[in-house]
Amino acid sequence: MTDKAKATQVVDELIRRLNEINQANGYATDLPEPVLDDDPALYFDQHSHLPCIGIRNLTDRLATKGSTSTNQTRTVEIVAYVAREQGARARQDHLLQDIYRTLFRPESIKFNGLAVEIEAGEAQLDDVELGTKILPIYLPIIITYNTLNWR
């Protein structure tokens, strides 16, 4: 398995977890469509069912490389949108809490017995474009994972 394949697997697991957000699973939010592997704003002309969530890759970095393992970090950004209407700020807060709850579970993500560390950056909650009909959430997530260097 290559490092890129492992990073893809980790991001796919994050998407799988985010797709569990719905009221039937005990969350405050129902997602009308599956989580995208890109920024949902790119697809607003095709569909705009809100709330919606996507993940986009930002950076990938080799942190350390030893003789038996390599430590890498991948930074992704979770991008979510809710409709700007009465009660929108509360729905935005609920969706952000749902995102935190699904990503930061007591059980960790593991591949080949190696744990993946997940760290959240600072969430941005306001829209820079006044007059839009959506409220965004931009949440950077730093994923640290190891791969084994087999000889």
Side-chain angles (χ1 to χ4, degrees):
M1 172 178 14
T2 66
D3 292 338
K4 184 175 180 183
K6 182 152 186 186
T8 301
Q9 288 179 357
V10 173
V11 172
D12 287 347
E13 174 62 17
L14 295 181
I15 291 171
R16 187 195 65 72
R17 286 184 177 197
L18 289 168
N19 274 314
E20 294 176 4
I21 295 175
N22 66 54
Q23 291 176 347
N25 290 336
Y27 293 93
T29 309
D30 274 323
L31 297 178
E33 295 182 13
V35 174
L36 298 173
D37 62 355
D38 210 341
D39 186 338
L42 298 173
Y43 305 97
F44 280 159
D45 59 339
Q46 299 168 15
H47 59 81
S48 58
H49 298 98
L50 298 174
C52 60
I53 298 177
I55 292 183
R56 59 188 199 104
N57 287 318
L58 295 180
T59 62
D60 193 273
R61 178 173 73 87
L62 177 69
T64 59
K65 183 173 176 97
S67 61
T68 58
S69 68
T70 300
N71 189 13
Q72 284 186 254
T73 62
R74 164 78 50 106
T75 303
V76 298
E77 184 172 54
I78 296 175
V79 183
Y81 300 99
V82 298
R84 185 188 301 266
E85 53 193 30
Q86 190 68 25
R89 294 282 179 203
R91 282 193 310 284
Q92 185 184 41
D93 289 340
H94 284 134
L95 181 55
L96 180 59
Q97 291 308 310
D98 289 343
I99 291 168
Y100 286 145
R101 278 185 57 211
T102 193
L103 293 182
F104 298 100
R105 298 176 181 176
E107 74 275 6
S108 63
I109 299 173
K110 291 186 180 179
F111 292 103
N112 296 331
L114 300 173
V116 175
E117 180 182 318
I118 302 171
E119 179 184 342
E122 188 172 319
Q124 296 178 354
L125 301 175
D126 275 327
D127 194 5
V128 294
E129 297 180 36
L130 296 176
T132 61
K133 298 189 185 296
I134 58 172
L135 286 176
I137 297 169
Y138 303 107
L139 179 63
I141 300 290
I142 301 166
I143 305 160
T144 303
Y145 59 94
N146 291 309
T147 54
L148 298 175
N149 300 333
W150 300 109
R151 296 177 194 192

